Amino acid sequence: MRAHYFQHVPFEGLGSIEPWLGSKGYDLTGTRFFEAADLPDRKEIDLLVIMGGPMSVNDEGRFPWLSLEKNFVREMIESGKPVLGICLGAQLIANAMGAQVTANPEKEIGWFPIHAVTPVDDDAFRFPPSETVFHWHGETFDLPARAIRLARSEGCGNQAFQLGKQVIGLQFHLETTPNLAQDLVFHCREEIVPSRYVQTAEEILSVSPSRYQSVNDLMSGVLSYLVR
């Protein structure tokens, strides 16, 4: 089995996803768009993971590779293979499938709860009724046609969606480790302007190890669902 990831900036890596893939025997390859837009043969990929990044899906003028990435994502989805998108990755899935990505009324940066939305499909992934997760975003996505909304928060109505049985988009970061959180705070500190849904750097970095473990366990559940 081969998993491939799309990474958009050096400081937003796979986090807890990488050891999970290793434990399941996946060979792991990646496209690091900040180095080169080298895309794999999608026929050789069994799972695609699309990571986050500070750019917008609408920034094709600044980042021409975005259009190539969206085309690849759409082809992967249409082929019926598992695809997971995180933050920018979820927005890329939505946009590749025809939905709009726009500024969210509120920025969400830090640890805030999401709330499950009961899906109409009994076989859809189910989040816990409420879970405190890590956020870092200023934009949001509309749901693609036929997508099921899975989660919301007070600051953002669309936090997670599922498309078919093998595509999930997450606006939040379940893969977060202490190192990833520290890297985001270091590289994106100018975005930390405390407000209703933006915590201070100290608040972001002061959570207990059990909080990271909880979100990483939930990420494991999402991955297991996608590749079942």
Side-chain angles (χ1 to χ4, degrees):
M1 297 179 294
R2 180 180 171 191
H4 192 86
Y5 65 91
F6 286 164
Q7 186 174 349
H8 306 100
V9 288
F11 54 87
E12 291 202 48
L14 288 168
S16 71
I17 296 172
E18 186 167 359
W20 187 92
L21 292 171
S23 73
K24 302 300 180 183
Y26 279 88
D27 292 326
L28 182 62
T29 57
T31 298
R32 295 157 65 91
F33 286 102
F34 52 92
E35 295 178 343
D38 296 328
L39 299 176
D41 182 347
R42 63 176 177 79
K43 295 178 182 178
E44 298 179 358
I45 302 301
D46 300 298
L47 168 67
L48 177 64
V49 180
I50 314 164
M51 304 309 299
M55 63 285 294
S56 169
V57 302
N58 303 309
D59 286 344
E60 292 182 2
R62 293 177 58 201
F63 305 102
W65 45 260
L66 279 167
S67 60
L68 300 175
E69 184 177 14
K70 291 176 194 178
N71 288 337
F72 189 95
V73 169
R74 183 173 59 254
E75 290 170 356
M76 279 289 293
I77 292 171
E78 291 173 347
S79 73
K81 292 185 177 180
V83 178
L84 171 64
I86 298 165
C87 200
L88 174 65
Q91 296 166 5
L92 282 162
I93 292 173
N95 196 237
M97 301 308 291
Q100 296 295 307
V101 175
T102 57
N104 193 56
E106 302 273 2
K107 279 192 173 184
E108 289 183 306
I109 297 176
W111 297 89
F112 297 98
I114 58 159
H115 308 287
V117 176
T118 303
V120 294
D121 186 340
D122 289 340
D123 194 37
F125 184 81
R126 293 178 182 270
F127 283 96
S130 181
E131 181 77 20
T132 297
V133 300
F134 187 62
H135 305 259
W136 199 300
H137 72 102
E139 293 192 313
T140 187
F141 47 77
D142 293 338
L143 294 181
R146 297 182 296 280
I148 300 171
R149 186 169 65 144
L150 299 177
R152 61 174 181 81
S153 70
E154 291 182 3
C156 183
N158 291 331
Q159 283 285 356
F161 68 89
Q162 180 173 332
L163 191 58
K165 302 297 184 187
Q166 292 183 288
V167 179
I168 288 179
L170 307 175
Q171 184 63 80
F172 44 90
H173 295 266
L174 298 178
E175 80 286 4
T176 303
T177 62
N179 285 342
L180 279 183
Q182 290 168 3
D183 285 346
L184 269 169
V185 167
F186 178 80
H187 289 281
C188 301
R189 183 176 288 272
E190 72 281 358
E191 296 184 46
I192 303 176
V193 181
S195 62
R196 186 178 181 187
Y197 300 112
V198 178
Q199 293 178 329
T200 65
E202 291 72 21
E203 289 175 312
I204 289 170
L205 299 178
S206 65
V207 298
S208 67
S210 64
R211 176 47 46 205
Y212 290 101
Q213 187 63 56
S214 180
V215 296
N216 294 168
D217 288 346
L218 189 50
M219 175 56 82
S220 297
V222 171
L223 289 164
S224 296
Y225 174 88
L226 284 174
V227 302
R228 68 198 190 286

